[in-house]
């Protein structure tokens, strides 16, 4: 079986683009909160230790009977209206927060409840830890992941998971197949060696 490290598509404008595309996902008590720009919403994307998917992707994933999805409905805690989709991505970013800090698109923005209600529901996958991540720093090449190996001795069979040693999210071929051809998915899959 093949295994992959899950990444987001590269965003335009560096950190500014990452905020515009992916925003923030955080956990508060038992609630997972989404703070992001709208109305554009990728069908699937990752943030930190979570994967966010819209209703249609959730339904597609459920048909595959994948193990370890741990899906829960996210709360759209702060949705900031900014229609940036027509900006020329080959040009410098045309609009920045006054502070110059990318996160202030969201942190200094005002929540739009009407827009939040119009947007798709967002479901969060919270992968659990299993397997073991091994890093060989001698093999490290910038922007590549050939220095990471998955030791599957303690893997519990989940199709999407994390390891206690690494901050990345990993998946099986099954999860990759279920997601990679979804329109507007922003997830990419990097092959990882497993032993």
């Amino acid at each position: 079986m093949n295994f992959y490290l899950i990444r987001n598509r590269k965003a335009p404008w560096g950190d500014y683009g990452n905020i515009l595309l992916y925003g923030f996902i955080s956990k508060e008590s038992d609630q997972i909160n989404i703070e992001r720009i709208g109305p554009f919403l990728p069908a699937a994307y990752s943030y930190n230790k979570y994967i966010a998917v819209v209703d249609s992707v959730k339904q597609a994933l459920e048909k595959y009977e994948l193990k370890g999805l741990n899906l829960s409905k996210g709360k759209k805690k702060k949705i900031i209206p900014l229609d940036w989709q027509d900006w020329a991505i080959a040009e410098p970013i045309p609009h920045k927060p006054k502070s110059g800090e990318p996160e202030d698109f969201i942190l200094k923005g005002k929540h739009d409840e009407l827009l939040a209600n119009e947007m798709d529901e967002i479901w969060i996958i919270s992968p659990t830890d299993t397997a073991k991540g091994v890093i060989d720093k001698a093999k490290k090449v910038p922007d590549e992941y050939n220095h990471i190996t998955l030791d599957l001795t303690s893997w519990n069979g989940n199709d999407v998971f994390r390891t206690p040693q690494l901050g990345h999210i990993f998946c099986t071929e099954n999860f990759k197949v279920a997601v990679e051809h979804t329109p507007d998915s922003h997830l990419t899959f990097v092959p990882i060696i497993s032993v």
Side-chain angles (χ1 to χ4, degrees):
M1 180 179 291
N2 295 323
F3 291 84
Y4 301 87
L5 182 148
I6 297 176
R7 304 283 298 162
N8 282 323
R9 284 189 207 165
K10 189 173 180 181
W13 311 302
D15 289 342
Y16 291 100
N18 283 327
I19 292 293
L20 292 171
L21 279 167
Y22 309 124
F24 306 118
I25 301 174
S26 61
K27 189 169 185 177
E28 186 178 336
S29 299
D30 289 335
Q31 180 64 56
I32 298 179
N33 295 318
I34 292 112
E35 297 176 276
R36 61 164 298 113
I37 304 294
F40 178 75
L41 175 61
Y45 64 96
S46 68
Y47 179 83
N48 197 359
K49 59 185 179 179
Y50 303 107
I51 296 173
V53 298
V54 297
D55 267 328
S56 59
V57 177
K58 174 187 178 278
Q59 292 165 13
L61 290 173
E62 288 172 342
K63 290 178 185 173
Y64 278 84
E65 298 180 6
L66 300 167
K67 296 178 184 172
L69 284 188
N70 300 323
L71 280 156
S72 59
K73 191 174 180 180
K75 177 183 179 185
K76 291 178 263 186
K77 182 177 179 180
K78 193 171 188 183
I79 304 298
I80 309 303
L82 181 59
D83 195 2
W84 61 273
Q85 290 298 111
D86 292 334
W87 295 355
I89 61 172
E91 301 292 326
I93 190 166
H95 174 71
K96 293 181 181 179
K98 289 180 182 178
S99 66
E101 298 298 327
E103 59 270 16
D104 282 347
F105 275 127
I106 295 171
L107 298 179
K108 303 282 185 181
K110 186 177 178 184
H111 175 67
D112 186 326
E113 188 66 25
L114 182 60
L115 177 59
N117 291 333
E118 290 172 353
M119 290 171 64
D120 280 348
E121 293 300 337
I122 303 171
W123 296 86
I124 304 298
I125 300 169
S126 303
T128 57
D129 289 347
T130 186
K132 180 180 179 184
V134 180
I135 294 178
D136 184 347
K137 291 183 181 179
K139 293 182 180 178
K140 176 69 175 142
V141 175
D143 298 324
E144 292 186 16
Y145 296 92
N146 60 326
H147 64 295
I148 294 175
T149 302
L150 286 175
D151 178 345
L152 300 175
T153 308
S154 60
W155 176 52
N156 65 5
N158 283 356
D159 286 298
V160 60
F161 58 94
R162 299 176 72 230
T163 67
Q165 299 78 19
L166 305 174
H168 303 294
I169 301 174
F170 299 93
C171 72
T172 63
E173 185 85 29
N174 296 337
F175 183 85
K176 176 180 178 280
V177 167
V179 172
E180 71 179 338
H181 298 298
T182 301
D184 290 326
S185 171
H186 278 240
L187 297 179
T188 61
F189 301 90
V190 180
I192 294 293
I193 296 168
S194 58
V195 293

